Amino acid sequence: MTALRIADGFRRGAAVTFDVDGVAVVGHRGETLAAALLAAGFARLRHSPRDFSPRGAYCFMGACQECVVQVGGVLRQSCQVPVEDGLVVGLKGSL
Amino acid sequence: MMQADLIVIGAGPAGAAAALAASEAGLLVVLLDEDASPGGQVYRAPPAGLSVAPDTRGADERAGDALREAVAASAVVWKGGARVWSISGAFRVDAVTAAGSESFTAPRLVAATGAHERLVPFPGWTTPGVIGLAAATILLKSQGMVPGRRTVVAGCGPLLAAVAAKIVAGGGAVAAIIDLSGPGDWLKALPAMASRPDLLRQGLGWALKLGAACVPVLFRHTVTAVSGGEACEAVTVAPVDAEGRPTGGRSRVFAADALAIGHGLVPGSEIPKLLRAEHRFEPEAGGWAPVRDAFGRCSVAGLYTVGDGAAVAGAEPARLSGRLAGLAAAQDAGRLPAHVSAREAGEARAALDKALVFAGAINRLMRARPAMVEEIAKDTVICRCEDVRRGEIEAAISAGAREINQLKHFTRCGMGPCQGRMCGETAATLLARHVGSREAAGYWTGRPPLRPVPLADLLGEFDYGDIPVPNPAPL
Amino acid sequence: MSTPFDLAIVGGGIHGATVALFCARAGMRTVLFERGSLCREASGVNAGTLTMQMTRVALIPYALQAHAMWASAREWLGHDAGVVVCDGLSLAFTQREVELLSFRAGKRREAGAPIDLVTATAARAVEPGLGEGVLLAAHCKVDGYANAYLTGQAYHAALIEAGVDLREETPVSGVEREEGGFAVQTAAGPVRAKRLVLAGGVWLEEMMAWLGITLPIKVLVNQLAVTERVAPVMRTVVGIASGLLSLKQYPHGTVVIGGGWQGRGDRQRGGVELVPESLIGNMRLACHAIPALRHARLARAWAGLEAETADALPAAGPIPGIPDAYICGSVHSGYTSGPYIARLLAQRILGQEPADPLFPIDRLLASPAASPTPSAAAGRATDEQPQHV
C-alpha cells in the first residue's frame, strides 16, 4: 500500500510484481498499469516527441494517449493494460 | 464474420439500454466495449481483483450492477475488451479482442461511445500529475486511488464537488476547489437541479463533507499555471470573469502534487463522423453533434447515435436516449409493432424530457467559454501529442489555413495518436476567431482506427504466402 | 467589363498549382480556382513517395527530372514539403517476385533509372531494418519522399508570392468558350480568361465534358496507413517487386504504409471506405519487410483518389480543337512526376518548346463511341493492373 491507495472500503487483489526499466515494482491485481505506476511514484511515464517534455497519464480512459509505454516492447496505453506478474515495462513512449 | 441484427458500440448507460431494448424486441444484438465489463465511464465496474466494500457503494455502483445484471440476463451478445478499429459501410465492424481479430456485421448500428473532456490549455498543463476530472473519478471509483497526496480540483460543474468529496473520503487532501462558475451561477441552476432531488441531495452531501474538511472553494477562479518539472509541484490560480477571462485580480499559489481539472464535456461522435453522417455545431450539446431525430437516427440510413456521444446530457438522459434508439432500431427492422413502439417510446420520451431539465442546468455550468481560449499564451502547447503551440497555430492561420483539417496539415496539430481528441476544441475555437464561426472552421475528418491499435495485435501471425498481394500496376 | 486574365486554371493540386506558378512568374495574369483548399486531394493525401521503382517506364525520364525538382524545392518553389532524398529498395521474397523484379527493374534501368539488382546481404547493408527472406533486391540511389500534407502550405505561399490570384473554396460549375477566351463560371459570377487549363485530377472527366469532350478517367482508391511516431526502424524507401508496397519512416518517426491497395469510393464521395482485409494485407507486407514495425501502433488510415487514363499515361497538353485550352493530370505516380510535367505544360503555354515531349490526349479521344466510364469497382480490366482482393 502507498499513500495514494485508499485504505478503507476497497479490498485489493493479490500483489503482483513487474519490471519498470529494471526496477521491480509491486502492484495489485485489478489495477491498471497506469494507476499502479502512479501509486508507485512514477508520475512521469514518457517524454513528448518534439519538446521532450515529461508526460504522465492524463485521461485514464484510453483517449489521450499520454500514458503510452512499452509493454514487452510494444507501445501500449498503460491505462488499458491490467498489471500482471512479470510484465516488462519501459518508460518510453513513441519516440 | 458474425451476422447480427444490430451492433451497439459502447456499453455505458446509453449503449446498454439500446442493446437491451432491441434485444427484448427480438433482435440479435452484439454489444461491444473496450472495457471488460459493461458500465461505461459513469458505471465502470471495479476490475477483477478489486472489490468495493458494500457500505461504501453509492447509487452509481448500484446502477452499474443493475446494468451489468440486465445485460448478463439478456440475449444480448456481449463482447468485452473489444477494441473496434474499423467500421465500414452498412455496417461491418472489425475489432481486436482477446480472441484475435473479429468481424461483425449488421444492417443497423448504434454509436454510444460517450464524451471526452474539454480541456483549455494553460502553462504547465502537460506536467505529470495534471489529470482530467473524469480521470480522477476513474482513479477514485474503479482503482481505489486518490490522484495525489494533495490535490487541487479545478474546472466547472458538479464533478468538482464529487471528485473533491471522494478524495477527502478516501483519506486524501484537497488543497482547494477552483470553480470557474460563481455562487450566482449555481443559484441560477438550483431550480432546474431540484428536478432531480436525489442528485441535488447527493451534491449537498458533497458540499457538507467538503465544508467539514475545511476545503477552500474559490469561485470565479481558474488555473493559470502549473509549475514543477517532472511532476506537479504548485498550482497558480487567478480570478476570472463570467466568461473565464482573467480579471487581473490577485493570483494565489497552492502547493499540490496533483491537479484534477476539466472544463466540461464534448460529444465523442467519432463513429458518425467516420461514417460521414451529417453533423451540426450545437454548443448546448457540447460541440459538433450528429444530426439526429428524436430516436437518434442519423443522416446515414441504419445508423443511430445516443448518449453523451451524441449530445452531452449525463447518465439518465443517456439511458433514455439509448432505449429510444433501441426501440427505433427494432421498429425499423420491422420487429416491433408501431403501436407498441409508440407507447414505450412515449414513456421514454417523457422521462427524457424531464431528465433534460437537470442536464440543461449542468450543461450551462459546464459550457465552453471561448474567452478562455482567446487568453491562451502564444507559447502554450495546444496539441499535446505533437507539441504544437498556439503561436504555430496562429502562424498557420496567417499562412492561409482556413479549415481545421488544413490547419492539421500545416501544423500536425491533431495528427498525433490522440487523433485530435485533446486539442480539437481549442484548435477549432482559435481558427473560428479568424474564419468567423465554428461551422466555417469545421471538424476533424473521421478515420479508422477509432484509437491507435498495436500492429502486433492487429496483424497476428501470418505467412508471407498468405498475404493476398494484388497484381502489379502496369509497367 | 474587367480585363480578362491571361490564364485561368481550374484545380489546385500539384499540376494546376505548378502551371500557375511558372506562368505567373513569366508575367501572365493568372487565376487559380480550387473548390476546396490547395493540394488537399490527391496532392495532399498520397504517400509522398518520390521513387523510380513504382514509376511507369515511359515516365522515368520525367520522374528523374521531377525528383531533382523536389530535392531543390527550396530554390525553385521557395518552400519545402519536407523532402528527404534517400536510397530505395524494391524486394523480392519469392521466385516469382525475383523474375518480376529482374524484368521490371531492367526495363526501368533501360529508361534511365539508376537501379541495380543486389543480394539480400547488400540490401541489408543499405537497409539494416530488413526482415528475413529477401531473395533479391533492386537498389536505386535516386529515391526519397516528401511530406505530402505540407504540399499545400508550400504551394500556397509560393503562389501568393508569384502574384497568382488564388481562389480557394471556389467551385467552378462550368466553362464557356467565348470571343477571345473563356468564361469560368463560379457562384460569384463568370471570370474571364484568354487561356484555360483544366487540372482537376479524378474530376477531369466532368471538366472535359464542359467543353463537350468525352475523356474517360478511371478512379483508383488508394489506401494508406500511418503509424504513430516510433524510434527509427528504417532509413530507406522500401517496396516490393510488384509495386504493391511503399514504406518509409519520416524524420519525426511516423511510418507511412502505402502501395495502392484499393479501398472503396468514387469521385462524387471521395475515398469513403477502407477495406479491412486490404489494410491488413498491406500492413502485413510492411511488417514482413521491416519486422520492427510490429511494435508500433496504427494511428490512422485513409484513402485518396488517383486519376488514370485508359492507357495509364498522362493527359498533359493542348485540348484538341479548342485553341488556348489545355489539360494537365492523370500522371501515374503523379506526385513524383507532377511538378516536371506541369512545368513542361507551362513552357508550352508560354510559347516555348517544352524540354521533353508532352502527353497530348488525342490518343485517348480516337473513338467517337467512347464506352461509359469504368468505375473503380469495374475498372480492373487487365491482368496488368491491381486487383481488388
Side-chain angles (χ1 to χ4, degrees), chain A residues 68 70 73-76 94, chain B residues 452-459, chain C residues 226-231 233 249 253-255 257 283 287 290-299:
Chain A
V68 168
Q70 293 185 356
V74 176
L75 291 169
R76 293 190 187 277
S94 50
Chain B
V453 49
L455 291 182
D457 298 355
L458 200 52
L459 304 185
Chain C
V226 64
T227 71
E228 68 184 306
R229 297 174 186 246
V230 286
V233 295
Q249 183 170 25
T254 64
V255 178
I257 303 168
M283 292 188 295
C287 287
I290 305 288
L293 254 186
R294 281 181 74 84
H295 296 154
R297 296 189 305 165
L298 170 66

Side-chain angles (χ1 to χ4, degrees), chain C residues 97-109:
Chain C
E97 288 176 355
V98 167
E99 288 157 22
L100 195 64
L101 186 63
S102 306
F103 178 73
R104 291 167 80 93
K107 290 288 182 191
R108 290 185 169 114
R109 190 184 163 85

Side-chain angles (χ1 to χ4, degrees), chain B residues 140-380:
Chain B
L140 288 157
K141 282 164 67 174
S142 80
Q143 295 288 300
M145 283 183 202
V146 293
R149 286 166 178 77
R150 192 174 154 80
T151 304
V152 171
V153 180
C156 50
L159 265 187
L160 289 175
V163 165
K166 282 196 162 62
I167 292 173
V168 170
V174 175
I177 296 175
I178 310 301
D179 193 340
L180 270 177
S181 307
D185 302 320
W186 284 98
L187 276 176
K188 256 184 256 167
L190 256 179
M193 287 165 71
S195 69
R196 283 294 304 272
D198 53 329
L199 295 180
L200 188 58
R201 218 171 13 252
Q202 188 183 40
L204 292 174
W206 294 332
L208 285 174
K209 192 170 284 173
L210 294 167
C214 298
V215 174
V217 180
L218 276 66
F219 289 110
R220 285 272 165 92
H221 273 66
T222 195
V223 173
T224 54
V226 161
S227 58
E230 293 277 296
C232 173
E233 288 168 12
V235 179
T236 307
V237 307
V240 292
D241 65 15
E243 291 310 305
R245 203 188 297 272
T247 60
R250 187 177 70 94
S251 61
R252 291 176 62 176
V253 181
F254 294 93
D257 62 342
L259 166 64
I261 184 163
H263 300 112
L265 299 170
V266 182
S269 78
E270 286 82 7
I271 291 172
K273 283 176 185 156
L274 179 68
L275 293 168
R276 303 191 167 204
E278 199 184 322
H279 280 66
R280 191 166 56 206
F281 185 66
E282 294 181 34
E284 62 285 0
W288 281 99
V291 173
R292 63 218 175 270
D293 73 3
F295 294 87
R297 293 184 187 94
C298 297
S299 64
V300 172
L303 176 65
Y304 307 76
T305 180
V306 295
D308 281 359
V312 174
E316 183 61 4
R319 183 182 73 80
L320 293 162
S321 73
R323 179 163 176 76
L324 283 166
L327 292 169
Q331 194 195 332
D332 296 347
R335 304 283 279 277
L336 193 64
H339 67 276
V340 177
S341 160
R343 177 170 42 79
E344 299 201 3
E347 288 167 17
R349 166 58 46 192
L352 177 58
D353 288 343
K354 198 170 161 226
L356 285 174
V357 174
F358 182 87
I362 299 299
N363 280 354
R364 278 187 289 282
L365 288 167
M366 303 208 300
R367 73 185 201 283
R369 291 158 170 87
M372 285 177 77
V373 175
E374 283 172 33
E375 295 295 323
I376 296 171
K378 250 171 70 175
D379 61 350
T380 298

